[in-house]
């Protein structure tokens, strides 16, 4: 059953959310959220931990100077995990920093998030929602990673034939699952080289230096591309923009 409700996460902007219990409800849920127009879709997966302060600042600039402006210029949907951590926090802050109005949609397991005014926390490692997201789809799941196939389905429905790509930055174990689900869906995964951890394992595999079997299998899919975090801003913008226009 689809349950629609409003959220007050920050004083500047209201957010809306739906809970769903099965995948067949997603079209209705997205329609209730007002997300029924076909647009390019940028999926963001990964993490932002175990990196130096200098690398974190570079990743932060990627969001503020590249990813958020691209989404704003194209009027794209951006889909991620929606919680106040890692890359989801970074795209939320970038959305606010550039005063963007593109739809920023978080997809998260209901049992793992803390809603405003919620009195009972369902999990020890539950996390608040990121305050600058505009829409949330809360899905069944008791573990981090349960949202991964739902993120892919939401992105596919939102695109509705328009171009879509996944950008993968840093990341841990769940990021491998996110990458695999994108590949299964036939969605190109743009891996940001130099961002650390899972991203760099995938880049090594693409260069034939794999030490991780999962990375080797993903690299062999033909659905991965890579661009360096330290590439010129103009190159990053043009590469990602062109993928969302074709």
């Amino acid at each position: 059953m689809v349950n629609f409700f409003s959220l007050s996460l920050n004083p500047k902007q209201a957010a809306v959310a739906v809970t769903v219990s099965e995948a067949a409800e997603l079209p209705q849920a997205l329609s209730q959220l007002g997300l029924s127009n076909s647009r390019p879709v940028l999926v963001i997966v990964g993490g932002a931990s175990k990196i130096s302060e200098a690398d974190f600042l570079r990743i932060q600039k990627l969001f503020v100077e590249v990813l958020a402006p691209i989404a704003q210029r194209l009027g794209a949907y951006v889909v991620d995990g929606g919680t106040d951590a890692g890359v989801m926090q970074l795209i939320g802050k970038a959305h606010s920093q550039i005063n963007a109005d593109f739809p920023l949609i978080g997809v998260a397991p209901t049992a793992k998030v803390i809603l405003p005014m919620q009195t009972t926390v369902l999990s020890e490692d539950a996390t608040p929602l990121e305050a600058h997201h505009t829409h949330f789809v809360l899905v069944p799941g008791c573990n981090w990673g349960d949202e991964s196939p739902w993120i892919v389905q939401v992105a596919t429905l939102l695109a509705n034939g328009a171009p879509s790509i996944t950008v993968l930055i840093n990341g841990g174990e769940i990021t491998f699952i996110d990458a695999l689900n994108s590949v299964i869906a036939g969605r190109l995964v743009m891996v940001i080289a130099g961002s650390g951890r899972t991203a760099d394992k995938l880049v090594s595999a693409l260069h034939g230096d794999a030490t991780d079997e999962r990375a080797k299998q993903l690299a062999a899919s033909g659905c991965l591309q890579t661009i360096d975090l330290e590439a010129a801003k103009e190159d990053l913008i043009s590469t990602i923009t062109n993928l969302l226009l074709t």
Side-chain angles (χ1 to χ4, degrees):
M1 180 176 162
V2 176
N3 178 32
F4 176 90
F5 56 101
S6 297
L7 289 168
S8 296
L9 297 172
N10 78 65
K12 292 183 180 178
Q13 157 198 299
V16 288
V18 290
T19 57
V20 297
S21 55
E22 55 185 50
E25 295 170 347
L26 282 175
Q28 178 194 345
L30 295 175
S31 179
Q32 281 192 250
L33 289 173
L35 303 173
S36 53
N37 295 330
S38 173
R39 303 187 189 188
V41 176
L42 179 62
V43 180
I44 298 175
V45 301
S49 63
K50 299 183 182 176
I51 53 177
S52 68
E53 186 177 349
D55 284 343
F56 180 82
L57 291 172
R58 274 194 284 270
I59 291 172
Q60 195 173 43
K61 283 181 70 174
L62 176 72
F63 282 90
V64 175
E65 298 182 2
V66 178
L67 298 178
I70 287 172
Q72 182 67 11
R73 191 160 50 250
L74 298 181
Y77 294 121
V78 177
V79 181
D80 65 12
T83 56
D84 195 25
V87 295
M88 301 159 289
Q89 185 182 77
L90 287 169
I91 188 60
K93 287 183 175 179
H95 187 280
S96 175
Q97 194 169 330
I98 71 166
N99 294 313
D101 59 7
F102 63 83
L104 178 52
I105 303 133
V107 181
T110 305
K112 285 294 188 181
V113 299
I114 302 170
L115 300 176
M117 310 301 290
Q118 184 173 330
T119 55
T120 304
V121 177
L122 299 176
S123 172
E124 283 185 6
D125 60 346
T127 305
L129 297 172
E130 199 286 320
H132 303 99
H133 281 60
T134 58
H135 303 77
F136 293 93
V137 181
L138 303 180
V139 302
C142 298
N143 299 296
W144 292 117
D146 288 347
E147 75 280 5
S148 183
W150 293 85
I151 288 173
V152 169
Q153 291 179 71
V154 166
T156 298
L157 287 167
L158 288 172
N160 192 23
S164 63
I165 65 166
T166 296
V167 173
L168 186 152
I169 301 148
N170 189 266
E173 291 298 305
I174 291 169
T175 306
F176 279 111
I177 299 169
D178 290 327
L180 178 60
N181 280 318
S182 279
V183 166
I184 290 169
R187 181 167 294 122
L188 174 74
V189 179
M190 175 59 72
V191 183
I192 305 298
S195 62
R197 299 200 298 159
T198 299
D200 286 353
K201 289 178 183 178
L202 291 169
V203 171
S204 293
L206 284 167
H207 293 155
D209 302 324
T211 55
D212 188 293
E213 192 59 36
R214 295 165 300 176
K216 194 182 297 185
Q217 291 175 0
L218 285 164
S221 70
C223 288
L224 269 59
Q225 288 187 26
T226 181
I227 190 167
D228 201 282
L229 181 61
E230 295 192 29
K233 180 175 78 171
E234 294 74 17
D235 292 341
L236 286 160
I237 289 170
S238 63
T239 298
I240 294 170
T241 300
N242 288 339
L243 289 169
L244 286 170
L245 289 174
T246 55

